[in-house]
PDB file of all heavy atoms in Angstrom:
ATOM      1  N   LYS A   2      96.981 108.073 105.968  1.00 97.00           N
ATOM      2  CA  LYS A   2      97.154 109.332 106.714  1.00 97.00           C
ATOM      3  C   LYS A   2      98.456 110.031 106.321  1.00 97.00           C
ATOM      4  O   LYS A   2      98.502 111.259 106.200  1.00 97.00           O
ATOM      5  CB  LYS A   2      97.144 109.043 108.215  1.00 97.00           C
ATOM      6  CG  LYS A   2      95.773 108.660 108.761  1.00 97.00           C
ATOM      7  CD  LYS A   2      95.857 108.366 110.264  1.00 97.00           C
ATOM      8  CE  LYS A   2      94.485 108.001 110.820  1.00 97.00           C
ATOM      9  NZ  LYS A   2      94.549 107.646 112.264  1.00 97.00           N
ATOM     10  N   LEU A   3      99.521 109.248 106.142  1.00 98.00           N
ATOM     11  CA  LEU A   3     100.817 109.809 105.775  1.00 98.00           C
ATOM     12  C   LEU A   3     100.717 110.521 104.423  1.00 98.00           C
ATOM     13  O   LEU A   3     101.196 111.660 104.265  1.00 98.00           O
ATOM     14  CB  LEU A   3     101.868 108.705 105.706  1.00 98.00           C
ATOM     15  CG  LEU A   3     103.307 109.127 105.420  1.00 98.00           C
ATOM     16  CD1 LEU A   3     103.877 109.918 106.600  1.00 98.00           C
ATOM     17  CD2 LEU A   3     104.184 107.909 105.128  1.00 98.00           C
ATOM     18  N   ALA A   4     100.084 109.870 103.458  1.00 97.00           N
ATOM     19  CA  ALA A   4      99.952 110.439 102.112  1.00 97.00           C
ATOM     20  C   ALA A   4      99.083 111.687 102.131  1.00 97.00           C
ATOM     21  O   ALA A   4      99.404 112.701 101.493  1.00 97.00           O
ATOM     22  CB  ALA A   4      99.369 109.397 101.162  1.00 97.00           C
ATOM     23  N   GLU A   5      97.973 111.619 102.841  1.00 97.00           N
ATOM     24  CA  GLU A   5      97.072 112.775 102.885  1.00 97.00           C
ATOM     25  C   GLU A   5      97.744 113.975 103.530  1.00 97.00           C
ATOM     26  O   GLU A   5      97.598 115.114 103.065  1.00 97.00           O
ATOM     27  CB  GLU A   5      95.786 112.407 103.630  1.00 97.00           C
ATOM     28  CG  GLU A   5      94.889 111.455 102.841  1.00 97.00           C
ATOM     29  CD  GLU A   5      93.671 110.999 103.622  1.00 97.00           C
ATOM     30  OE1 GLU A   5      93.661 111.218 104.871  1.00 97.00           O
ATOM     31  OE2 GLU A   5      92.744 110.430 103.019  1.00 97.00           O
ATOM     32  N   ARG A   6      98.499 113.729 104.613  1.00 97.00           N
ATOM     33  CA  ARG A   6      99.184 114.819 105.283  1.00 97.00           C
ATOM     34  C   ARG A   6     100.219 115.451 104.346  1.00 97.00           C
ATOM     35  O   ARG A   6     100.318 116.677 104.235  1.00 97.00           O
ATOM     36  CB  ARG A   6      99.869 114.295 106.550  1.00 97.00           C
ATOM     37  CG  ARG A   6     100.698 115.334 107.310  1.00 97.00           C
ATOM     38  CD  ARG A   6      99.814 116.460 107.837  1.00 97.00           C
ATOM     39  NE  ARG A   6      98.718 115.938 108.613  1.00 97.00           N
ATOM     40  CZ  ARG A   6      98.807 115.569 109.899  1.00 97.00           C
ATOM     41  NH1 ARG A   6      99.962 115.676 110.542  1.00 97.00           N
ATOM     42  NH2 ARG A   6      97.753 115.117 110.539  1.00 97.00           N
ATOM     43  N   MET A   7     101.020 114.618 103.658  1.00 97.00           N
ATOM     44  CA  MET A   7     102.028 115.141 102.744  1.00 97.00           C
ATOM     45  C   MET A   7     101.391 115.952 101.621  1.00 97.00           C
ATOM     46  O   MET A   7     101.835 117.074 101.319  1.00 97.00           O
ATOM     47  CB  MET A   7     102.848 113.996 102.140  1.00 97.00           C
ATOM     48  CG  MET A   7     103.914 114.457 101.156  1.00 97.00           C
ATOM     49  SD  MET A   7     104.611 113.122 100.140  1.00 97.00           S
ATOM     50  CE  MET A   7     103.224 112.757  99.046  1.00 97.00           C
ATOM     51  N   CYS A   8     100.353 115.427 100.997  1.00 97.00           N
ATOM     52  CA  CYS A   8      99.724 116.106  99.860  1.00 97.00           C
ATOM     53  C   CYS A   8      99.071 117.424 100.278  1.00 97.00           C
ATOM     54  O   CYS A   8      99.128 118.420  99.544  1.00 97.00           O
ATOM     55  CB  CYS A   8      98.703 115.181  99.187  1.00 97.00           C
ATOM     56  SG  CYS A   8      99.448 113.740  98.376  1.00 97.00           S
ATOM     57  N   GLU A   9      98.447 117.438 101.451  1.00 97.00           N
ATOM     58  CA  GLU A   9      97.830 118.674 101.949  1.00 97.00           C
ATOM     59  C   GLU A   9      98.885 119.740 102.226  1.00 97.00           C
ATOM     60  O   GLU A   9      98.700 120.919 101.900  1.00 97.00           O
ATOM     61  CB  GLU A   9      97.020 118.383 103.215  1.00 97.00           C
ATOM     62  CG  GLU A   9      95.737 117.611 102.955  1.00 97.00           C
ATOM     63  CD  GLU A   9      95.101 117.091 104.232  1.00 97.00           C
ATOM     64  OE1 GLU A   9      95.629 117.398 105.328  1.00 97.00           O
ATOM     65  OE2 GLU A   9      94.075 116.391 104.142  1.00 97.00           O
ATOM     66  N   ASP A  10     100.000 119.330 102.818  1.00 96.00           N
ATOM     67  CA  ASP A  10     101.069 120.287 103.125  1.00 96.00           C
ATOM     68  C   ASP A  10     101.733 120.792 101.841  1.00 96.00           C
ATOM     69  O   ASP A  10     102.094 121.972 101.738  1.00 96.00           O
ATOM     70  CB  ASP A  10     102.113 119.647 104.043  1.00 96.00           C
ATOM     71  CG  ASP A  10     101.591 119.427 105.456  1.00 96.00           C
ATOM     72  OD1 ASP A  10     100.574 120.057 105.818  1.00 96.00           O
ATOM     73  OD2 ASP A  10     102.197 118.615 106.191  1.00 96.00           O
ATOM     74  N   LEU A  11     101.903 119.917 100.844  1.00 96.00           N
ATOM     75  CA  LEU A  11     102.458 120.344  99.564  1.00 96.00           C
ATOM     76  C   LEU A  11     101.548 121.365  98.889  1.00 96.00           C
ATOM     77  O   LEU A  11     102.013 122.358  98.323  1.00 96.00           O
ATOM     78  CB  LEU A  11     102.662 119.135  98.635  1.00 96.00           C
ATOM     79  CG  LEU A  11     103.854 118.230  98.929  1.00 96.00           C
ATOM     80  CD1 LEU A  11     103.779 116.947  98.110  1.00 96.00           C
ATOM     81  CD2 LEU A  11     105.178 118.951  98.649  1.00 96.00           C
ATOM     82  N   ASP A  12     100.241 121.126  98.966  1.00 95.00           N
ATOM     83  CA  ASP A  12      99.281 122.066  98.390  1.00 95.00           C
ATOM     84  C   ASP A  12      99.386 123.428  99.070  1.00 95.00           C
ATOM     85  O   ASP A  12      99.376 124.476  98.414  1.00 95.00           O
ATOM     86  CB  ASP A  12      97.866 121.508  98.532  1.00 95.00           C
ATOM     87  CG  ASP A  12      96.810 122.447  97.955  1.00 95.00           C
ATOM     88  OD1 ASP A  12      96.760 122.584  96.715  1.00 95.00           O
ATOM     89  OD2 ASP A  12      96.055 123.050  98.753  1.00 95.00           O
ATOM     90  N   ALA A  13      99.515 123.417 100.395  1.00 95.00           N
ATOM     91  CA  ALA A  13      99.652 124.670 101.153  1.00 95.00           C
ATOM     92  C   ALA A  13     100.936 125.403 100.774  1.00 95.00           C
ATOM     93  O   ALA A  13     100.992 126.645 100.809  1.00 95.00           O
ATOM     94  CB  ALA A  13      99.636 124.377 102.649  1.00 95.00           C
ATOM     95  N   ALA A  14     101.972 124.649 100.394  1.00 93.00           N
ATOM     96  CA  ALA A  14     103.252 125.249 100.033  1.00 93.00           C
ATOM     97  C   ALA A  14     103.255 125.815  98.614  1.00 93.00           C
ATOM     98  O   ALA A  14     104.168 126.555  98.243  1.00 93.00           O
ATOM     99  CB  ALA A  14     104.370 124.215 100.170  1.00 93.00           C
ATOM    100  N   GLY A  15     102.248 125.468  97.814  1.00 92.00           N
ATOM    101  CA  GLY A  15     102.189 125.974  96.443  1.00 92.00           C
ATOM    102  C   GLY A  15     102.236 124.903  95.377  1.00 92.00           C
ATOM    103  O   GLY A  15     102.016 125.181  94.202  1.00 92.00           O
ATOM    104  N   TYR A  16     102.513 123.649  95.770  1.00 95.00           N
ATOM    105  CA  TYR A  16     102.454 122.528  94.829  1.00 95.00           C
ATOM    106  C   TYR A  16     101.023 122.020  94.868  1.00 95.00           C
ATOM    107  O   TYR A  16     100.690 121.094  95.613  1.00 95.00           O
ATOM    108  CB  TYR A  16     103.454 121.438  95.219  1.00 95.00           C
ATOM    109  CG  TYR A  16     104.886 121.914  95.225  1.00 95.00           C
ATOM    110  CD1 TYR A  16     105.554 122.175  96.427  1.00 95.00           C
ATOM    111  CD2 TYR A  16     105.571 122.138  94.038  1.00 95.00           C
ATOM    112  CE1 TYR A  16     106.867 122.630  96.438  1.00 95.00           C
ATOM    113  CE2 TYR A  16     106.887 122.593  94.035  1.00 95.00           C
ATOM    114  CZ  TYR A  16     107.524 122.844  95.240  1.00 95.00           C
ATOM    115  OH  TYR A  16     108.819 123.299  95.240  1.00 95.00           O
ATOM    116  N   VAL A  17     100.179 122.642  94.070  1.00 94.00           N
ATOM    117  CA  VAL A  17      98.733 122.438  94.183  1.00 94.00           C
ATOM    118  C   VAL A  17      98.343 121.000  93.873  1.00 94.00           C
ATOM    119  O   VAL A  17      99.061 120.269  93.184  1.00 94.00           O
ATOM    120  CB  VAL A  17      97.966 123.406  93.261  1.00 94.00           C
ATOM    121  CG1 VAL A  17      98.224 124.842  93.677  1.00 94.00           C
ATOM    122  CG2 VAL A  17      98.357 123.193  91.799  1.00 94.00           C
ATOM    123  N   PHE A  18      97.169 120.606  94.384  1.00 95.00           N
ATOM    124  CA  PHE A  18      96.653 119.268  94.124  1.00 95.00           C
ATOM    125  C   PHE A  18      96.585 119.019  92.624  1.00 95.00           C
ATOM    126  O   PHE A  18      96.177 119.891  91.852  1.00 95.00           O
ATOM    127  CB  PHE A  18      95.262 119.098  94.726  1.00 95.00           C
ATOM    128  CG  PHE A  18      95.229 119.090  96.231  1.00 95.00           C
ATOM    129  CD1 PHE A  18      94.376 119.935  96.922  1.00 95.00           C
ATOM    130  CD2 PHE A  18      96.045 118.234  96.952  1.00 95.00           C
ATOM    131  CE1 PHE A  18      94.341 119.924  98.306  1.00 95.00           C
ATOM    132  CE2 PHE A  18      96.019 118.218  98.335  1.00 95.00           C
ATOM    133  CZ  PHE A  18      95.164 119.067  99.019  1.00 95.00           C
ATOM    134  N   CYS A  19      96.970 117.833  92.218  1.00 93.00           N
ATOM    135  CA  CYS A  19      96.935 117.448  90.805  1.00 93.00           C
ATOM    136  C   CYS A  19      95.492 117.293  90.342  1.00 93.00           C
ATOM    137  O   CYS A  19      94.710 116.560  90.963  1.00 93.00           O
ATOM    138  CB  CYS A  19      97.701 116.143  90.599  1.00 93.00           C
ATOM    139  SG  CYS A  19      97.577 115.468  88.935  1.00 93.00           S
ATOM    140  N   GLY A  20      95.151 117.955  89.234  1.00 90.00           N
ATOM    141  CA  GLY A  20      93.796 117.853  88.708  1.00 90.00           C
ATOM    142  C   GLY A  20      93.440 116.451  88.263  1.00 90.00           C
ATOM    143  O   GLY A  20      92.266 116.069  88.261  1.00 90.00           O
ATOM    144  N   GLY A  21      94.450 115.676  87.896  1.00 91.00           N
ATOM    145  CA  GLY A  21      94.218 114.297  87.473  1.00 91.00           C
ATOM    146  C   GLY A  21      94.314 113.301  88.614  1.00 91.00           C
ATOM    147  O   GLY A  21      94.296 112.085  88.387  1.00 91.00           O
ATOM    148  N   ASN A  22      94.442 113.809  89.845  1.00 95.00           N
ATOM    149  CA  ASN A  22      94.515 112.977  91.057  1.00 95.00           C
ATOM    150  C   ASN A  22      95.716 112.034  91.052  1.00 95.00           C
ATOM    151  O   ASN A  22      95.661 110.917  91.586  1.00 95.00           O
ATOM    152  CB  ASN A  22      93.217 112.176  91.240  1.00 95.00           C
ATOM    153  CG  ASN A  22      93.027 111.731  92.693  1.00 95.00           C
ATOM    154  OD1 ASN A  22      93.605 112.299  93.615  1.00 95.00           O
ATOM    155  ND2 ASN A  22      92.231 110.694  92.887  1.00 95.00           N
ATOM    156  N   ILE A  23      96.815 112.473  90.440  1.00 96.00           N
ATOM    157  CA  ILE A  23      98.049 111.680  90.459  1.00 96.00           C
ATOM    158  C   ILE A  23      98.813 112.052  91.721  1.00 96.00           C
ATOM    159  O   ILE A  23      99.768 112.845  91.701  1.00 96.00           O
ATOM    160  CB  ILE A  23      98.879 111.913  89.186  1.00 96.00           C
ATOM    161  CG1 ILE A  23      98.049 111.549  87.953  1.00 96.00           C
ATOM    162  CG2 ILE A  23     100.160 111.064  89.203  1.00 96.00           C
ATOM    163  CD1 ILE A  23      98.721 111.868  86.635  1.00 96.00           C
ATOM    164  N   MET A  24      98.369 111.484  92.827  1.00 97.00           N
ATOM    165  CA  MET A  24      98.936 111.793  94.137  1.00 97.00           C
ATOM    166  C   MET A  24      98.877 110.547  95.014  1.00 97.00           C
ATOM    167  O   MET A  24      98.005 109.688  94.837  1.00 97.00           O
ATOM    168  CB  MET A  24      98.164 112.932  94.801  1.00 97.00           C
ATOM    169  CG  MET A  24      98.216 114.252  94.046  1.00 97.00           C
ATOM    170  SD  MET A  24      97.252 115.555  94.849  1.00 97.00           S
ATOM    171  CE  MET A  24      95.577 114.969  94.562  1.00 97.00           C
ATOM    172  N   ALA A  25      99.772 110.479  95.969  1.00 97.00           N
ATOM    173  CA  ALA A  25      99.817 109.328  96.871  1.00 97.00           C
ATOM    174  C   ALA A  25      98.556 109.197  97.701  1.00 97.00           C
ATOM    175  O   ALA A  25      98.267 108.120  98.225  1.00 97.00           O
ATOM    176  CB  ALA A  25     101.044 109.439  97.785  1.00 97.00           C
ATOM    177  N   SER A  26      97.790 110.271  97.824  1.00 97.00           N
ATOM    178  CA  SER A  26      96.520 110.211  98.556  1.00 97.00           C
ATOM    179  C   SER A  26      95.464 109.414  97.795  1.00 97.00           C
ATOM    180  O   SER A  26      94.439 109.025  98.358  1.00 97.00           O
ATOM    181  CB  SER A  26      96.003 111.627  98.833  1.00 97.00           C
ATOM    182  OG  SER A  26      95.916 112.380  97.629  1.00 97.00           O
ATOM    183  N   ASN A  27      95.707 109.154  96.512  1.00 97.00           N
ATOM    184  CA  ASN A  27      94.842 108.302  95.699  1.00 97.00           C
ATOM    185  C   ASN A  27      95.175 106.839  96.013  1.00 97.00           C
ATOM    186  O   ASN A  27      96.321 106.414  95.846  1.00 97.00           O
ATOM    187  CB  ASN A  27      95.094 108.618  94.217  1.00 97.00           C
ATOM    188  CG  ASN A  27      94.261 107.757  93.275  1.00 97.00           C
ATOM    189  OD1 ASN A  27      93.678 106.749  93.663  1.00 97.00           O
ATOM    190  ND2 ASN A  27      94.235 108.157  92.013  1.00 97.00           N
ATOM    191  N   ASP A  28      94.199 106.068  96.475  1.00 96.00           N
ATOM    192  CA  ASP A  28      94.440 104.677  96.893  1.00 96.00           C
ATOM    193  C   ASP A  28      95.127 103.854  95.810  1.00 96.00           C
ATOM    194  O   ASP A  28      95.918 102.945  96.108  1.00 96.00           O
ATOM    195  CB  ASP A  28      93.118 103.998  97.270  1.00 96.00           C
ATOM    196  CG  ASP A  28      92.487 104.601  98.518  1.00 96.00           C
ATOM    197  OD1 ASP A  28      93.189 105.349  99.222  1.00 96.00           O
ATOM    198  OD2 ASP A  28      91.293 104.338  98.775  1.00 96.00           O
ATOM    199  N   GLN A  29      94.860 104.155  94.538  1.00 96.00           N
ATOM    200  CA  GLN A  29      95.418 103.373  93.432  1.00 96.00           C
ATOM    201  C   GLN A  29      96.893 103.688  93.174  1.00 96.00           C
ATOM    202  O   GLN A  29      97.565 102.959  92.435  1.00 96.00           O
ATOM    203  CB  GLN A  29      94.609 103.635  92.148  1.00 96.00           C
ATOM    204  CG  GLN A  29      93.173 103.140  92.252  1.00 96.00           C
ATOM    205  CD  GLN A  29      92.381 103.440  90.993  1.00 96.00           C
ATOM    206  OE1 GLN A  29      92.712 104.348  90.230  1.00 96.00           O
ATOM    207  NE2 GLN A  29      91.331 102.680  90.761  1.00 96.00           N
ATOM    208  N   LEU A  30      97.387 104.758  93.777  1.00 97.00           N
ATOM    209  CA  LEU A  30      98.795 105.140  93.597  1.00 97.00           C
ATOM    210  C   LEU A  30      99.576 104.977  94.890  1.00 97.00           C
ATOM    211  O   LEU A  30     100.667 105.538  95.046  1.00 97.00           O
ATOM    212  CB  LEU A  30      98.894 106.586  93.098  1.00 97.00           C
ATOM    213  CG  LEU A  30      98.164 106.890  91.784  1.00 97.00           C
ATOM    214  CD1 LEU A  30      98.379 108.335  91.366  1.00 97.00           C
ATOM    215  CD2 LEU A  30      98.627 105.946  90.673  1.00 97.00           C
ATOM    216  N   ARG A  31      99.046 104.190  95.785  1.00 97.00           N
ATOM    217  CA  ARG A  31      99.685 103.896  97.073  1.00 97.00           C
ATOM    218  C   ARG A  31      99.591 102.387  97.271  1.00 97.00           C
ATOM    219  O   ARG A  31      98.784 101.874  98.037  1.00 97.00           O
ATOM    220  CB  ARG A  31      98.956 104.667  98.178  1.00 97.00           C
ATOM    221  CG  ARG A  31      99.646 104.735  99.502  1.00 97.00           C
ATOM    222  CD  ARG A  31      98.856 105.577 100.501  1.00 97.00           C
ATOM    223  NE  ARG A  31      97.541 105.018 100.827  1.00 97.00           N
ATOM    224  CZ  ARG A  31      96.387 105.517 100.409  1.00 97.00           C
ATOM    225  NH1 ARG A  31      96.356 106.605  99.671  1.00 97.00           N
ATOM    226  NH2 ARG A  31      95.240 104.932 100.742  1.00 97.00           N
ATOM    227  N   ILE A  32     100.436 101.666  96.511  1.00 98.00           N
ATOM    228  CA  ILE A  32     100.283 100.218  96.420  1.00 98.00           C
ATOM    229  C   ILE A  32     101.648  99.532  96.500  1.00 98.00           C
ATOM    230  O   ILE A  32     102.691 100.159  96.296  1.00 98.00           O
ATOM    231  CB  ILE A  32      99.582  99.826  95.095  1.00 98.00           C
ATOM    232  CG1 ILE A  32     100.322 100.429  93.888  1.00 98.00           C
ATOM    233  CG2 ILE A  32      98.121 100.266  95.101  1.00 98.00           C
ATOM    234  CD1 ILE A  32      99.720 100.056  92.539  1.00 98.00           C
ATOM    235  N   PRO A  33     101.641  98.218  96.777  1.00 98.00           N
ATOM    236  CA  PRO A  33     102.900  97.470  96.861  1.00 98.00           C
ATOM    237  C   PRO A  33     103.618  97.388  95.510  1.00 98.00           C
ATOM    238  O   PRO A  33     103.014  97.570  94.445  1.00 98.00           O
ATOM    239  CB  PRO A  33     102.461  96.081  97.335  1.00 98.00           C
ATOM    240  CG  PRO A  33     101.141  96.291  97.990  1.00 98.00           C
ATOM    241  CD  PRO A  33     100.490  97.398  97.216  1.00 98.00           C
ATOM    242  N   LEU A  34     104.892  97.056  95.570  1.00 98.00           N
ATOM    243  CA  LEU A  34     105.719  96.937  94.371  1.00 98.00           C
ATOM    244  C   LEU A  34     105.119  95.978  93.356  1.00 98.00           C
ATOM    245  O   LEU A  34     105.063  96.273  92.157  1.00 98.00           O
ATOM    246  CB  LEU A  34     107.130  96.481  94.771  1.00 98.00           C
ATOM    247  CG  LEU A  34     108.101  96.145  93.636  1.00 98.00           C
ATOM    248  CD1 LEU A  34     108.354  97.367  92.763  1.00 98.00           C
ATOM    249  CD2 LEU A  34     109.421  95.604  94.205  1.00 98.00           C
ATOM    250  N   SER A  35     104.661  94.828  93.819  1.00 97.00           N
ATOM    251  CA  SER A  35     104.108  93.827  92.895  1.00 97.00           C
ATOM    252  C   SER A  35     102.886  94.369  92.160  1.00 97.00           C
ATOM    253  O   SER A  35     102.674  94.063  90.974  1.00 97.00           O
ATOM    254  CB  SER A  35     103.742  92.547  93.654  1.00 97.00           C
ATOM    255  OG  SER A  35     102.833  92.828  94.703  1.00 97.00           O
ATOM    256  N   ASP A  36     102.075  95.201  92.835  1.00 97.00           N
ATOM    257  CA  ASP A  36     100.901  95.781  92.181  1.00 97.00           C
ATOM    258  C   ASP A  36     101.290  96.867  91.179  1.00 97.00           C
ATOM    259  O   ASP A  36     100.646  97.018  90.136  1.00 97.00           O
ATOM    260  CB  ASP A  36      99.940  96.350  93.226  1.00 97.00           C
ATOM    261  CG  ASP A  36      99.236  95.254  94.020  1.00 97.00           C
ATOM    262  OD1 ASP A  36      99.218  94.101  93.543  1.00 97.00           O
ATOM    263  OD2 ASP A  36      98.716  95.542  95.111  1.00 97.00           O
TER     264      ASP A  36
END
């Protein structure tokens, strides 16, 4: 929820969603240090 809220607000501000899905809202980019 935290990642989705941040990414949505950034998009609204003009930092549009990444076409390659390189965003914290992507489950694969929201992982522990060891991963």
Side-chain angles (χ1 to χ4, degrees):
K2 289 179 179 177
L3 184 68
E5 289 175 347
R6 177 64 53 81
M7 179 194 71
C8 293
E9 288 168 4
D10 289 342
L11 284 169
D12 180 70
Y16 300 104
V17 297
F18 292 128
C19 174
N22 201 21
I23 302 174
M24 297 179 290
S26 54
N27 179 346
D28 293 346
Q29 295 178 337
L30 302 182
R31 193 178 63 253
I32 54 178
L34 173 62
S35 57
D36 289 342

